[in-house]
Each structure stands twice: as C-alpha cells, then as structure tokens.
Amino acid sequence: MKAAKLGSENVIWDLSALYASLDDPRIARDMKAVRRDAAALAAEYRGRVAAGKISPAELRKFMVEEERISSATGRLGEYAELMLTTDNLDEGAKSLMMKMQELGSDISNTLVFFPIELGQMDEALFARLVADKALDNYRHYLLFLRKQRQHLLSEKEEMLLSKRDLTGKLAIQRIYQELTSSFKFTVTVKGERKVMNGEQVRSLRESTDSRLRARAMKQYFGKYTENSLVITNVFDTLLKDHQIECELRHVDEPMGLRNLDNELDAEIVNTLSDVTRDNTDIVERYYTLKARLLNSKKLTLADIYAPISAKPRRYTWNDARTIVLDAYAKFDQRAHDIIQEFFDKNWIDGRTLPNKTGGAFCTFNLPGAHPWVMLNFTGAGRDVETMAHELGHGMHGILSAKQTAVNRDAILPLAEVASVFGEMLVTDYLLGRMKDPEEKIALYCSKLESAFATTFRQNMFHRFETRTHGLIADHQLSTDELRSIYHEELVNMFGDSVTIPAHYDMEWAIVQHMFLWPFYVYAYNFAQLVVLSLYQKYLEEGEKFKPVYYRILETGSAMTPAQILGLAGIDPRDKTFWQKGFDFMRTHWVEPLEKLVSERK
Ligand SMILES: [Zn+2]
C-alpha cells in the first residue's frame, strides 16, 4: 500500500491551544513572567520552611503558586518539544528548545530550596503541618518529598558526591556505553558479507533462516565474551558503587532507593517476583508449541523470536481508527467518547515525515491543556496497537486531570495501565473478528512473545540483579560466576523447552538497564501483570469493574500504587492477584493457541 493512500498524511495536530506559532509574542512574555514569579516565590519562602515558620495555609499558597509556575514552564517546554517532533531540523524549534532547557534548569535551581528545607524541618512540626486540612490535595506529595529527603545527605555532601560521580559512576557507565556501541559485527547474509551494529544483528533473530539466526547470535554474544575483562569490571564497580551509596544513605537493601521512587515496598516486589517465577511453565508450554509451528524438534534461544509465517495484513488510517474506537466502545461508551475527542479535535499527529521523531508518545497532562498523541502510522498491525496504546495514555491523562498538578502523572509502576489495557481491548476485538486461523495463530504468538518480554524476561533480569547486588558486599564477582548465575536464571525461565547455547550465559552484559538504572526492570513486569490481572477482573466482573477502573485512572498519583490498587479491592501483597495475570495468559492465549495448532492440517 502506498503511503499516499494510508490517510494518515493529513492527520496533523493542532497546537494552537499552546501557542500560535514559534514567533508568538506570548512565548517571550511567558518566559519572563515565569522567571520573575519563581524568583518572587523563592524570596518570600526561602529560610522559612526549614525553620518551620510557615502555616498550613501559607504552605498551600506556596504549592498552588509552584504548580502554576511549573505548569507555565511545562507548556512552554511542551510547545518547543512538539514543534521539534514534527521537524527535527527546524532552526526556530531547536533554538526555542534550547531556551526552554535553560529556563527549566533556572526555575528548578530557583526553587530547589523547597524540598531541601522540607527535609530539614522538625519532625513533629512537619507531621502537624501536613495533617492540616488545608493540605489535603498536597499531603501525599509532601510526604513523598519528605521521605525521599530522609535519605539525602547534607547539601555539601550531595554536591561532593555528584562531583565525584563525574569521574566515578558516570564515567564507568560511559565506558560501558561507548565500548558496547562501538561493537561491529561481520555477518554473511544470503552469501553477502555485511558489517552490522548490535541492533542490526539482534534483528536477525527475526530472520526465517534458522542457521543465520544461530550464527548471528553466536557472534553477537561472542563480542561481549571477548570484552568480558572490561565489562565484568565495569559491572562489578557499578554494583560496588551502588552498595556504597546505599550505605551512605542508610538504605537497607539494594533495591531500596528504587522502591522509594516507585512508592512500593520490598514485600510487594518480592511477591511479584516469586509468583512470576512460579509460572514459568507457561514459557515452556509456549516454546514447545512454537517448535511444532516451526517444524523443529526443539528450539534454541536463537529461535525464540523466529517468525511464524503469515501474510501480514495492512491497515489504512481509517481502518485503524475504526478498530480502535470500536474496541474502546465495546469496553465502554465513556472510554470511546474520550478517545473520539482526540480524533475530532486534532490532538493527534499521525504522519510519517522525513524529519519527524520516530516511534510514538503521548504528552503529559498540563493544567488548562490536554494531552497530544504522536504516531508514525505506516499501516502495519503493530501501528493499530500503538494507536490504542497511546490513546490509552491520553485517556489516562484526561481522567486524571481532576487532580491537582503534582498528583496528575501516574507513577512508573502504574503509568502503563491504561495504555496496555487499550492494547488488550484491541487484541480481543481483532481476535473476535479474525476468520483465518493462521492469522489468529500469528496474533497469539506475537501477544505471548511480547508479554513474555515484559514479564518473565524482566523478572529473570530482576532475579539476576538481586543475586549479584547481594553478593558484592562479600566479594568481587568473576565473569564465570556472573555467567553461571545468569545460566541458572535462564534455566529458571525456559526450563527444558529450549536449548541454551553457552554463549547466552553472557546475555546479562547486554542489558543496559542493569548498568545504568539499577532495579528499574521490575517495573515492566509489575505494569504488564497489573494490566493482565485487571483485564481478567474485567472479564469476570463486567459492568461492576468499569467504575473501579475509571477511579484508578482518575487518581493519577494522589496515592501510592498499593493504595490505588486498593480502590479496586486489590491487594498487591496477595499472590492471588498476580496469579490472575498468569491465569489470563494461560486460558486466553496459550490454550486457544494450542487448540488452533492441534487443528492445523
Ligand atoms: Zn506507553
């Protein structure tokens, strides 16, 4: 299908609710006002917060004004970002973007005294202040800020640490990134020698040629093995650095700092990890089935993303729009109406353009505005899911708009609920309409493989992280020890369903998250399972579920994830909640797939 016939080329967002154009005189005026107001606010409150010389009403006044300033800064930043998104080379947008980054950093420097002073305030005084009714809308946020500050050192010590990081942690991370991105691979594809980067080699896992897949992955991991002296040293140093940081900040366990950010406690994260580990039989069942689909006795790890042959279907913009709207309508009219508004009011940019940013996103929700959705629609099945995904974020934004600004944006573990839920709606809708069993088989496989990548696989990384961080206080880990720990986790995930070539033991070395953002990966598993479990709840409860679901989205980040899930009567400490997600995978995806495969001629 030609791009000209997709219908997405005329889907252009209307940003006039932000500014009229890059030369809109309001831009300069607003920038000036934001700087002036932030300075005035700081002058009025600096020194008073730490000393506790502030009444609940005054603190509220501060919060309201701070929100107003950060929203105005956010609008300016958003306009620059969105203008740049559709034309990365536009000089005007680039220069506005630079000005906005400078503005953002100036404003945050002007107001940084507030969280610091809040942390210094006397405990009893803070407790009395924050309990006041005047601060109802801000209590959760203030408690969160205060809790974080408890693990901060003095201003001077923080400054020293962050300076030392430049030649310490950050320098080590840069070595890892620069080394691994310099890797080049020479692979022979269809008789032709090709020089590839890591991303290109990894994409060969989707080749139909099994020998090529195996060869490519052997070479890929071989490069990491050759460089293991540096990579292992880097990894160990980062583990040690993290351990020292935890000690300095009085954080008891390695994932403590991350849990603080995510507002989750270790008990919940551990329950999630254990239940995931207990359900790996799903992985084994699926790859045994996939071996049959690929006419192979047993797959190797290089085959797990091999394509199931099917003629991929193409969609026009209108097809996709109809599918997504119908799928949301099938769930609920209210959800449909919220999504419809994005199409009707031009809050979406669907074009593919030479200088447009790749991928897709939905902007955050600023007071007095609405989210915008960016897509690069090419007509592939994946694009229909992406449309449903980003509009799910959009719906989340619209619903949480009733919260005050600091409570709007969903916290990381719940940030993907509405988006992935939207994808589920579309999947079910499509499965209900597909006639061709081969097409259905391909859809089930792709759903399972992407769900595995966000659940079992991330949990494997999480377990590896937990074990290695646990050992570093005792000793440096050798490459062999890291390999053998990783090997055990591979076996935990795949069991006997696939052959594990020895070079896969080095796979931990490619997981950038573990080098750059310790303990980030469990949030992916958390988010995906919350959605599967909620979806299962929806199937069980029907109408009764809907108001609860809206309530979850409307709450934004006004409560902790556990409290928000509590609104739906869900206790994330309870294993049975997480189990629901895996039961869903079994009964709704694996079993129907098994049936289709057994009926295959
Ligand atoms: Zn998303």
Side-chain angles (χ1 to χ4, degrees):
M1 196 179 294
K2 278 243 174 68
K5 288 184 184 161
L6 277 176
S8 49
E9 55 284 349
N10 301 318
V11 182
I12 304 168
W13 55 27
D14 173 9
L15 303 179
S16 61
L18 292 169
Y19 292 98
S21 72
L22 286 168
D23 342 291
D24 189 331
R26 288 180 302 161
I27 294 179
R29 218 157 52 211
D30 287 353
M31 283 175 70
K32 213 169 141 192
V34 157
R35 277 206 170 85
R36 181 194 63 216
D37 296 346
L41 188 66
E44 192 182 343
Y45 285 87
R46 188 181 284 124
R48 285 171 59 197
V49 184
K53 288 182 186 151
I54 185 168
S55 72
E58 285 169 325
L59 183 51
R60 186 192 153 79
K61 215 179 117 214
F62 174 88
M63 291 303 301
V64 171
E65 178 64 359
E66 205 256 22
E67 279 184 327
R68 197 189 59 76
I69 293 169
S70 63
S71 302
T73 318
R75 283 170 73 93
L76 284 157
E78 190 159 286
Y79 187 67
E81 195 200 319
L82 297 184
M83 288 303 285
L84 201 59
T85 295
T86 46
D87 187 356
N88 291 171
L89 299 182
D90 188 295
E91 288 303 330
K94 275 201 269 189
S95 117
L96 183 63
M97 190 65 184
M98 253 156 74
K99 280 189 203 154
M100 288 315 138
Q101 282 166 346
E102 210 180 304
L103 178 75
S105 123
D106 287 352
I107 299 299
S108 108
N109 283 338
T110 308
L111 298 177
V112 74
F113 76 92
F114 178 71
I116 294 177
E117 290 198 22
L118 197 71
Q120 291 165 342
M121 194 190 286
D122 172 75
E123 181 73 54
L125 211 63
F126 175 78
R128 221 175 316 131
L129 191 62
V130 86
D132 195 279
K133 229 185 142 354
L135 290 164
D136 274 356
N137 269 340
Y138 299 100
R139 185 168 306 115
H140 176 76
Y141 178 71
L142 291 169
L143 285 168
F144 174 69
L145 275 187
R146 170 98 176 173
K147 214 168 161 188
Q148 287 211 315
R149 298 309 297 188
Q150 281 171 351
H151 295 282
L152 284 190
L153 309 172
S154 72
E155 219 175 323
K156 202 167 165 191
E157 287 166 330
E158 287 294 340
M159 201 189 75
L160 275 174
L161 279 186
S162 72
K163 284 221 163 173
R164 292 297 289 179
D165 272 352
L166 294 175
T167 50
K169 177 169 79 182
L170 297 173
I172 300 282
Q173 288 172 334
R174 206 167 51 240
I175 290 174
Y176 170 76
Q177 285 177 296
E178 287 185 15
L179 175 72
T180 54
S181 58
S182 76
F183 289 169
K184 291 279 176 289
F185 307 84
T186 313
V187 191
T188 309
V189 183
K190 290 183 188 149
E192 200 186 319
R193 279 162 66 86
K194 286 188 174 162
V195 179
M196 297 184 168
N197 64 25
E199 208 40 57
Q200 291 166 318
V201 177
R202 276 158 61 83
S203 75
L204 292 175
R205 292 177 305 176
E206 285 160 44
S207 154
T208 48
D209 176 353
S210 68
R211 291 213 305 265
L212 172 61
R213 294 196 295 261
R215 218 168 52 232
M217 293 319 285
K218 188 168 183 187
Q219 223 199 66
Y220 180 61
F221 291 121
K223 189 67 95 182
Y224 285 82
T225 308
E226 272 168 44
N227 288 276
S228 62
L229 185 133
V230 177
I231 294 176
T232 296
N233 257 304
V234 161
F235 190 64
D236 278 1
T237 306
L238 291 171
L239 291 180
K240 194 73 195 168
D241 183 87
H242 188 75
Q243 185 217 337
I244 293 170
E245 186 175 350
C246 287
E247 275 169 23
L248 290 174
R249 299 191 183 286
H250 307 290
V251 174
D252 311 339
E253 53 187 337
M255 65 171 164
L257 284 168
R258 181 68 62 195
N259 291 349
L260 209 63
D261 263 353
N262 288 342
E263 298 194 73
L264 289 172
D265 55 57
E267 188 196 343
I268 297 176
V269 181
N270 292 335
T271 305
L272 164 70
S273 175
D274 291 347
V275 179
T276 309
R277 167 68 190 87
D278 290 343
N279 280 280
T280 48
D281 62 289
I282 299 180
V283 179
E284 296 187 44
R285 235 167 115 177
Y286 172 69
Y287 284 112
T288 311
L289 199 66
K290 182 156 183 178
R292 250 177 89 187
L293 281 168
L294 294 177
N295 295 319
S296 152
K297 268 215 177 66
K298 190 173 184 178
L299 301 180
T300 88
L301 278 180
D303 302 322
I304 60 174
Y305 297 113
I308 307 285
S309 56
K311 341 118 208 120
R313 189 199 280 244
R314 313 286 299 162
Y315 301 85
T316 65
W317 177 265
N318 275 336
D319 297 338
R321 173 191 155 120
T322 306
I323 290 169
V324 170
L325 282 169
D326 284 357
Y328 273 90
K330 214 175 145 216
F331 169 68
D332 195 47
Q333 191 59 34
R334 182 175 172 202
H336 165 276
D337 294 349
I338 294 173
I339 303 298
Q340 177 83 54
E341 216 180 346
F342 280 77
F343 290 101
D344 292 349
K345 297 193 174 160
N346 302 322
W347 299 346
I348 310 176
D349 201 287
R351 304 168 287 176
T352 55
L353 298 168
N355 301 325
K356 186 173 167 177
T357 306
F361 64 72
C362 174
T363 61
F364 290 116
N365 194 25
L366 294 163
H370 51 76
W372 274 271
V373 163
M374 188 284 259
L375 302 170
N376 275 283
F377 189 82
T378 63
R382 182 65 230 164
D383 292 336
V384 184
E385 284 181 26
T386 305
M387 185 189 277
H389 180 106
E390 300 306 336
L391 285 167
H393 281 307
M395 178 170 102
H396 202 163
I398 296 288
L399 288 169
S400 66
K402 60 168 61 169
Q403 298 292 341
T404 193
V406 295
N407 291 337
R408 275 185 186 196
D409 298 332
I411 189 162
L412 178 69
L414 294 180
E416 295 295 333
V417 167
S419 54
V420 181
F421 199 91
E423 285 186 51
M424 302 281 291
L425 294 173
V426 162
T427 304
D428 260 7
Y429 179 82
L430 287 176
L431 283 170
R433 297 196 339 161
M434 273 179 188
K435 299 269 179 312
D436 179 5
E438 291 304 309
E439 209 183 346
K440 275 190 176 177
I441 287 175
L443 184 56
Y444 279 125
C445 290
S446 97
K447 285 319 278 186
L448 279 162
E449 285 170 22
S450 71
F452 288 179
T454 41
T455 55
F456 296 110
R457 183 171 165 82
Q458 303 303 324
N459 195 50
M460 173 172 72
F461 299 155
H462 173 69
R463 289 171 56 97
F464 175 82
E465 253 186 328
T466 307
R467 290 176 67 182
T468 51
H469 277 272
L471 289 168
I472 198 69
D474 182 61
H475 64 274
Q476 291 281 110
L477 286 86
S478 66
T479 304
D480 280 348
E481 189 175 4
L482 290 166
R483 291 183 72 121
S484 92
I485 294 173
Y486 194 77
H487 184 84
E488 283 171 26
E489 293 307 331
L490 280 170
V491 174
N492 271 332
M493 173 167 168
F494 291 96
D496 194 32
S497 62
V498 297
T499 308
I500 301 174
H503 47 265
Y504 266 85
D505 297 352
M506 209 50 206
E507 193 183 31
W508 55 272
I510 70 162
V511 187
Q512 175 164 277
H513 281 70
M514 297 201 291
F515 288 77
L516 306 186
W517 310 288
F519 297 98
Y520 188 99
V521 295
Y522 78 69
Y524 290 119
N525 188 23
F526 189 103
Q528 173 77 53
L529 275 175
V530 162
V531 175
L532 291 176
S533 304
L534 284 175
Y535 201 79
Q536 176 64 27
K537 219 170 145 58
Y538 157 55
L539 296 179
E540 287 165 12
E541 297 175 359
E543 280 308 313
K544 204 178 125 223
F545 171 82
K546 294 175 190 173
V548 173
Y549 181 61
Y550 289 126
R551 182 93 199 277
I552 289 177
L553 302 186
E554 281 164 358
T555 307
S557 55
M559 301 180 189
T560 69
Q563 289 167 333
I564 293 174
L565 291 173
L567 295 172
I570 291 163
D571 177 6
R573 284 177 185 77
D574 179 3
K575 281 189 168 206
T576 53
F577 168 65
W578 301 108
Q579 186 57 42
K580 265 190 202 300
F582 293 110
D583 292 345
F584 178 91
M585 271 193 218
R586 265 195 203 84
T587 53
H588 289 267
W589 290 344
V590 178
E591 283 164 16
L593 175 63
E594 281 172 342
K595 190 159 171 282
L596 282 172
V597 174
S598 69
E599 287 163 1
R600 224 180 177 208
K601 277 159 247 140

